Amino acid sequence: MKYYSTAAIDKRDATYNVIFGERSNGKTYALLLKTLKAYAKNGAQMAYVRRWKEDITGRRASQLWAGINENKEVEKATKGEFTGIHYYAGKFYLCNYDENGKAVYGDNDILGFTFSLSDGEHNKSTSFPNIKTIVFDEFLTNKLYLNDEFVHFMNTVSTIVRKREDVKIYMLGNTVNKYCPYFKEMGLEHIQKMKQGTIDVYQYGDSHLTVAVEYCKTIDNGDSKGANKYFAFNNPKLSMITGGAWELNIYPHLPYKYKNKDILLTYFIEFSDNIYQCEVINIKDDYFTYIHNKTTPIQDENTDLVYSLDYNPKTNYNRSIFKPINGVQKKIMWFFTNDKVFYQDNNVGDAIANYLKICKRG
């Protein structure tokens, strides 16, 4: 079986390495094996980062290295000194097993530590001088991100790195949501235009910071048709599993053709550096909102109704559709709460769905 390798992106020698693509192509396995070999070679420890605390505790944390253990990678890397990796109390230990299968390990055998962004305050007073690699797993989500999540992540990085410059950071994700706050916060402007199998490198002025971004190519093990038969349904979400395409829901498209005279109101949504034109349409007895891309600037930013997550003191701006401040905005909210919204295509629907998630979170 072929799996993902970090060889290509490591040649860029970047500080941050953003890696995303199809599920189950071995991204996490590759990084775990990489950090295991580094520890066996020179004692370099790793940090395993997840969004939520429950993802790095108990059974979930214990199962993380199951594939590494089953493939006897620990024995190979340590030349037989250890046979497995054991999780306990936020740490991963190299270990052996007694005749009852119980892990035997010592305080000097710590391969790595776990960190959660939702619980980051608990680690600020601790020092981690031997951590050389940070692995942030599943940084992309189609659910909710934390409030100011990028700041939480930077605080976690700061806790680990301190004043050192010898730490590499890997951010791993499946293609479940192209509207990710990390992309904007890190200035990764070309993400949505990347093709599979390519690597982009970003530089930031005169600083030494570089970010390498890899959109993983599909791994061909020669049996893709046979394996993909389980996912051959006509559902665009499944292409993320079988080929690494961005996951998209199916959203309702325009139900009727309309004319300008059918438009009762026009308003706009600004999200992820795009502008979406929204129209309240009346055809016979039917009322609905239709949303499509706008390729030109908003003509009158002082009077046109604009929804934007950016803070703006103008009275015609509102951050959330679900927090109306006048009668017109209450009527607009009605369309969204009663499923009377239609979209130009699934990409527009996906963008607005991500905007609405943030609105609902408050």
Side-chain angles (χ1 to χ4, degrees):
M1 295 290 289
K2 298 177 182 177
Y3 294 99
Y4 171 78
S5 169
T6 63
I9 198 168
D10 284 340
K11 290 179 181 178
R12 273 60 176 186
D13 193 28
T15 304
Y16 287 83
N17 300 271
V18 179
I19 303 166
F20 61 90
E22 63 186 308
R23 284 178 178 165
S24 303
N25 71 341
K27 296 183 293 292
T28 301
Y29 189 99
L31 264 300
L32 295 179
L33 183 57
K34 179 183 179 71
T35 56
L36 167 63
K37 290 180 178 179
Y39 180 78
K41 181 179 181 179
N42 54 31
Q45 295 174 327
M46 60 92 74
Y48 183 73
V49 181
R50 291 290 294 270
R51 179 171 291 104
W52 303 105
K53 184 177 180 180
E54 51 266 33
D55 291 326
I56 53 167
T57 55
R59 180 176 296 180
R60 292 183 181 181
S62 298
Q63 289 296 312
L64 179 64
W65 298 85
I68 297 288
N69 287 340
E70 290 171 7
N71 291 334
K72 301 187 182 301
E73 297 288 5
V74 178
E75 292 182 53
K76 297 174 190 175
T78 65
K79 298 180 179 179
E81 183 179 357
F82 297 96
T83 57
I85 297 172
H86 177 72
Y87 168 80
Y88 178 73
K91 303 180 183 69
F92 297 114
Y93 295 86
L94 291 181
C95 71
N96 290 298
Y97 299 95
D98 63 19
E99 61 275 10
N100 297 316
K102 183 178 180 181
V104 178
Y105 54 92
D107 290 339
N108 294 324
D109 304 322
I110 300 175
L111 164 63
F113 301 82
T114 62
F115 297 80
S116 70
L117 302 187
S118 63
D119 197 39
E121 294 294 324
H122 293 162
N123 295 314
K124 284 189 174 181
S125 60
T126 309
S127 179
F128 303 94
N130 295 320
I131 290 179
K132 305 296 184 183
T133 305
I134 298 173
V135 180
F136 182 10
D137 207 0
E138 298 193 21
F139 81 97
L140 291 170
T141 181
N142 56 8
K143 297 182 174 65
L144 285 177
Y145 291 91
L146 301 173
N147 283 321
D148 292 326
E149 180 166 321
F150 183 71
V151 176
H152 286 282
F153 179 49
M154 289 294 96
N155 283 334
T156 300
V157 171
S158 176
T159 296
I160 297 168
V161 172
R162 303 295 183 182
K163 295 183 179 181
R164 295 182 292 138
E165 295 186 357
D166 59 348
V167 179
K168 295 284 187 181
I169 301 164
Y170 293 83
M171 301 169 65
L172 313 180
N174 301 320
T175 44
V176 295
N177 191 344
K178 64 173 69 175
Y179 298 99
C180 168
Y182 289 91
F183 297 159
K184 185 173 183 179
E185 295 280 7
M186 298 173 74
L188 310 181
E189 300 174 348
H190 195 246
I191 290 280
Q192 297 185 29
K193 298 178 182 178
M194 289 184 69
K195 296 181 179 179
Q196 282 187 265
T198 60
I199 299 175
D200 289 345
V201 177
Y202 294 79
Q203 295 180 303
Y204 301 82
D206 295 329
S207 75
H208 296 294
L209 173 64
T210 56
V211 176
V213 182
E214 181 176 8
Y215 187 176
C216 303
K217 62 182 179 181
T218 299
I219 304 296
D220 183 9
N221 282 304
D223 61 349
S224 58
K225 289 184 178 179
N228 289 350
K229 75 176 183 179
Y230 295 101
F231 310 104
F233 305 106
N234 185 23
N235 186 329
K237 285 187 176 182
L238 301 185
S239 61
M240 179 269 296
I241 299 174
T242 59
W246 286 104
E247 178 180 317
L248 287 176
N249 280 316
I250 297 175
Y251 295 90
H253 290 29
L254 185 64
Y256 308 116
K257 291 183 178 180
Y258 67 96
K259 299 178 181 179
N260 287 336
K261 67 181 181 63
D262 301 320
I263 300 173
L264 304 181
L265 173 70
T266 299
Y267 60 101
F268 304 92
I269 296 175
E270 295 180 342
F271 178 69
S272 190
D273 296 325
N274 292 311
I275 302 173
Y276 300 93
Q277 184 165 320
C278 314
E279 293 151 352
V280 176
I281 296 171
N282 170 220
I283 297 179
K284 296 183 179 179
D285 295 328
D286 294 333
Y287 294 82
F288 58 91
T289 276
Y290 174 56
I291 303 178
H292 56 91
N293 283 302
K294 181 174 174 56
T295 57
T296 57
I298 296 172
Q299 289 187 355
D300 195 337
E301 294 183 344
N302 293 315
T303 60
D304 288 333
L305 173 56
V306 181
Y307 292 96
S308 173
L309 295 175
D310 295 332
Y311 289 91
N312 193 310
K314 296 178 181 178
T315 57
N316 59 307
Y317 275 74
N318 190 343
R319 297 186 70 239
S320 173
I321 280 176
F322 301 113
K323 293 183 178 179
I325 57 176
N326 56 41
V328 171
Q329 293 181 20
K330 286 181 181 178
K331 292 179 180 178
I332 290 173
M333 182 179 69
W334 181 89
F335 292 104
F336 288 87
T337 56
N338 289 278
D339 295 325
K340 302 296 182 184
V341 183
F342 298 85
Y343 302 93
Q344 176 184 5
D345 54 38
N346 291 333
N347 282 297
V348 173
D350 203 46
I352 301 304
N354 277 273
Y355 163 72
L356 295 175
K357 285 180 188 176
I358 299 173
C359 290
K360 290 177 180 177
R361 185 172 63 189

